Amino acid sequence: MSEKTYALAGPIRKTCDLFRLLAGHEVLGLAPGEIAKGLSVPPSWVSQNLPALATTGYVEQVAGTNRWRLGVSFVRIAVTVGTNLNRAKQQLDDLSARYSVPTDQVERYSR
């Protein structure tokens, strides 16, 4: 099946590429030149888009530097997803343990 292309697909895809690029650089961040090179975009893309994205909280400038990293809003989403997945796994583990009683024991309990 071929992928449909939408008008905003390019800019959205590039923004998602930016998030993936910044992942793993939470402490020191990346310099604008490193970001431009990593995304294969002109430096003007970085200087226009990072400050605009910073208003959403999804990226932030590392204090006292010209480096950029994932922002608090983005990380909170990731932490929430991780917490919810862990909770769901625990529920599945509990359910699995409940249903994994050997059949001969189930027959004794049901009498």
Side-chain angles (χ1 to χ4, degrees):
M1 183 189 294
S2 66
E3 182 180 318
K4 256 187 168 176
T5 304
Y6 297 97
L8 293 178
I12 292 170
R13 188 172 295 119
K14 193 56 70 178
T15 301
C16 291
D17 291 344
L18 169 67
F19 295 148
R20 280 190 288 278
L21 180 66
L22 292 176
H25 300 280
E26 292 79 13
V27 177
L28 299 177
L30 291 174
E34 296 170 311
I35 294 169
K37 183 177 179 183
L39 295 177
S40 300
V41 297
S44 60
W45 187 94
V46 176
S47 62
Q48 289 175 341
N49 287 285
L50 268 67
L53 283 169
T55 65
T56 68
Y58 290 143
V59 299
E60 65 184 18
Q61 195 167 5
V62 179
T65 73
N66 192 27
R67 301 175 73 82
W68 292 84
R69 63 183 172 204
L70 293 174
V72 172
S73 294
F74 191 97
V75 175
R76 283 184 179 152
I77 291 170
V79 169
T80 299
V81 169
T83 299
N84 290 340
L85 288 173
N86 286 334
R87 187 176 300 126
K89 182 183 181 310
Q90 183 60 52
Q91 290 171 338
L92 288 173
D93 290 346
D94 293 346
L95 201 60
S96 178
R98 183 174 152 214
Y99 286 118
S100 65
V101 175
T103 308
D104 63 335
Q105 291 180 12
V106 171
E107 290 173 7
R108 277 187 268 158
Y109 292 127
S110 61
R111 291 183 194 168

